[in-house]
Amino acid sequence: MTRMPITDDCGVAQALNVVGEWRTLLVLRNLFNGMRTFDALQDHLGISTSVLAARLKTLTEEGVIEKLPNPEDGRSHEYRLTEKGLDLYPVLVALLHWGEKWAPNGRGPRLTLVERETGLPVQKLAVKAQDGRILGPRDVTPVLGPGGSDHMRAMIERWTKKEKKQ
């Protein structure tokens, strides 16, 4: 299966090139929860071996995970998150919190994250100002950076014109 990359020069679009397929996010969820082997991932996710192999290959090629010899069985491998992969943790936590709020199962939370040291639930993620205030989408504005393209400039100009009209 050939991936069709998103060509939009935007951080969101480029991140989706790596992790935008839903099964990829489930693979990452399982890696964050301690699964390391192809067999464990395949058994738990129930996806075809070819699809899982493709997802793991992409994540490895992109430097999100690394494939290492299994120390317990030299004939197999295990997959470990790299620093780049570990940086995706807040993304998965935000999706978990969003899913529990907006797609509940009616029986209560399916999963709660708690801090190991205190046993207390972790706070929901939020976008915060430098002084710690929680900000919503109407409280921020995009500013084109030095790497911004003409395409991004046009998007920001449309957005700011729309804001001025409101």
Side-chain angles (χ1 to χ4, degrees), residues 7 13 15 21 26-27 30 34 46 71 73 81 83 102 104 118-119 122-124 134 137 143 146-147 149-150 157:
T7 57
E21 202 278 333
L26 295 180
V27 168
N30 286 15
D73 176 7
L81 292 155
E83 184 178 349
W102 295 105
T118 65
V122 300
Q123 288 186 350
K124 297 214 177 353
I134 294 176
V143 176
S149 65
D150 289 339
E157 287 173 0

Side-chain angles (χ1 to χ4, degrees), residues 92-159:
L92 274 285
V93 172
L95 286 170
L96 168 67
H97 287 159
W98 186 92
E100 289 297 341
K101 179 177 181 177
W102 295 105
N105 67 13
R107 297 186 309 271
R110 291 165 283 232
L111 185 69
T112 301
L113 298 176
V114 297
E115 183 182 359
R116 286 180 199 247
E117 188 175 315
T118 65
L120 297 172
V122 300
Q123 288 186 350
K124 297 214 177 353
L125 295 173
V127 175
K128 295 184 179 182
Q130 292 293 322
D131 64 6
R133 290 175 295 115
I134 294 176
L135 302 173
R138 291 186 177 98
D139 300 319
V140 300
T141 190
V143 176
L144 190 68
S149 65
D150 289 339
H151 182 70
M152 291 297 293
R153 181 184 318 317
M155 182 182 74
I156 290 170
E157 287 173 0
R158 279 192 296 266
W159 184 359

Side-chain angles (χ1 to χ4, degrees), residues 77-97:
H77 295 89
E78 64 179 26
Y79 297 90
R80 296 278 180 161
L81 292 155
T82 62
E83 184 178 349
K84 185 176 181 179
L86 292 169
D87 276 352
L88 286 165
Y89 188 66
V91 175
L92 274 285
V93 172
L95 286 170
L96 168 67
H97 287 159

Side-chain angles (χ1 to χ4, degrees), residues 3 14-20 24-25 27-29 31-32 36 55-68 78-89 91-92:
R3 282 188 314 142
Q14 295 307 307
L16 288 173
N17 273 332
V18 178
V19 298
T24 300
L25 292 170
V27 168
L28 289 169
R29 175 202 61 191
L31 290 171
F32 275 111
R36 301 274 180 257
R55 300 297 168 261
L56 291 169
K57 182 176 187 250
T58 297
L59 290 170
T60 303
E61 288 172 349
E62 293 290 339
V64 174
I65 62 174
E66 56 186 345
K67 182 178 178 180
L68 303 167
E78 64 179 26
Y79 297 90
R80 296 278 180 161
L81 292 155
T82 62
E83 184 178 349
K84 185 176 181 179
L86 292 169
D87 276 352
L88 286 165
Y89 188 66
V91 175
L92 274 285

